Amino acid sequence: MAFTRTYDGDEPVRLNKWLGQSGVCSRREADGLIAEGLVAIDGAVVTDAGRKIEPGQTLTLADRATEALAAGMTILLHKPTGFVSGQPEPDKTPAVTLIHEANQIGGGPVPAEDASLPPIGRLDEDSRGLLILSSDGVVAKAVIGPDSELDKEYLVRVSGDVTEQKLKTLRYGLRLDGRQLKPARVSRMEQQRLKFILREGRNRQIRRMCEMVDLEVTDLIRIRIGPIRLDGLEEGRWRHATPEERAALVG
């Protein structure tokens, strides 16, 4: 489906700049789409990369343009509890079902229902917070590849007696599935609220770590993946990663 959007600014602006600021694509990608004749303003195909769009004018991207952008699309979602991040069992609901126009924040094309947008890293069904979905292989490698150095930050509420010895054990002393965990940064925010910063993402890792020191997780929210923060994204809503955020992720 072609993507359309009306410019509501007060002053004319270069088309590639507006597309970049809106999160539709980078300026370089916009120049490429214009060169291929895939961009129109008020129904007329744009041929000049320096063209400005005027207030009230409507931009249209051809189907082929939206398909090309979707091939490298990265989406940031505030996943609620009750949704699974990966391929679900028959009675489970995947987080990707939240990616539709009614839940979108900001601009950019809405992926087709059958678009391939795998989650980049897991977030358990009973956990909430920042989830990245992307068809961009470079982003996937940067976030979950074997050489990834990106850390992930979580706020965790627990029940049980939180002692300094338990915090020390959580930081340095645990093994899961027969393997030593990487050191974790664990600090107390409040008596029953902890902050975890991890550089790995083993299956239900924080919950299992807490169980091993007789603590039960009652709420877990991921607020950051590397340079990307959840800030301002309401639960259940999604937006496109900006070109600057992608650049920060891939280094």
Side-chain angles (χ1 to χ4, degrees):
M1 178 182 295
F3 167 75
T4 63
R5 186 171 182 186
T6 299
Y7 175 52
D8 58 2
D10 297 324
E11 300 289 338
V13 64
R14 281 178 66 104
L15 187 53
N16 60 1
K17 180 179 180 181
W18 178 54
L19 286 170
Q21 292 175 336
S22 302
V24 175
C25 60
S26 69
R27 293 192 189 189
R28 181 178 297 178
E29 287 171 329
D31 290 340
L33 296 177
I34 291 169
E36 293 184 49
L38 302 178
V39 181
I41 294 179
D42 288 347
V45 174
V46 176
T47 57
D48 177 10
R51 171 73 179 274
K52 292 185 176 182
I53 188 168
E54 305 278 345
Q57 289 187 321
T58 297
L59 171 139
T60 302
L61 297 181
D63 290 345
R64 190 154 61 86
T66 56
E67 290 167 2
L69 293 175
M73 186 177 288
T74 297
I75 280 173
L76 312 178
L77 168 69
H78 186 162
K79 186 190 87 67
T81 59
F83 293 81
V84 296
S85 54
Q87 285 296 112
E89 299 173 10
D91 59 339
K92 304 295 184 180
T93 305
V96 72
T97 60
L98 293 167
I99 310 301
H100 52 76
E101 188 172 6
N103 291 342
Q104 184 179 15
I105 299 294
V110 178
E113 289 187 10
D114 59 351
S116 176
L117 277 174
I120 308 304
R122 60 170 60 92
L123 190 61
D124 301 327
E125 180 181 7
D126 44 3
S127 300
R128 58 196 177 97
L130 179 61
L131 181 66
I132 298 177
L133 302 104
S134 182
S135 53
D136 186 330
V138 177
V139 168
K141 183 178 179 181
V143 177
I144 59 174
D147 299 323
S148 175
E149 293 294 324
L150 294 181
D151 53 22
K152 292 87 176 175
E153 184 174 346
Y154 305 80
L155 299 181
V156 182
R157 191 169 296 278
V158 298
S159 62
D161 186 18
V162 180
T163 66
E164 286 304 316
Q165 181 57 49
K166 289 182 179 180
L167 293 176
K168 182 178 179 180
T169 301
L170 288 169
R171 293 174 187 134
Y172 304 110
L174 293 176
R175 295 172 63 87
L176 283 182
D177 305 322
R179 292 166 49 197
Q180 185 73 33
L181 293 174
K182 294 180 181 179
R185 292 158 61 189
V186 184
S187 56
R188 192 193 331 239
M189 308 290 290
E190 302 166 6
Q191 179 57 33
Q192 302 301 134
R193 195 165 184 241
L194 308 178
K195 178 166 70 174
F196 282 71
I197 299 179
L198 306 179
R199 284 203 167 182
E200 57 189 331
R202 310 273 285 278
N203 184 33
R204 298 179 66 82
Q205 179 172 336
I206 292 176
R207 294 177 187 276
R208 295 167 68 194
M209 289 171 68
C210 288
E211 288 172 1
M212 294 174 76
V213 295
D214 296 320
L215 297 174
E216 180 184 1
V217 173
T218 58
D219 183 54
L220 187 155
I221 179 169
R222 181 160 63 200
I223 62 171
R224 181 175 62 84
I225 299 174
I228 309 298
R229 303 192 69 90
L230 189 61
D231 298 350
L233 190 60
E234 297 177 357
E235 193 167 304
R237 308 299 288 274
W238 67 274
R239 66 176 178 83
H240 287 278
T242 66
E244 293 77 15
E245 286 171 327
R246 182 188 183 277
L249 274 175
V250 304

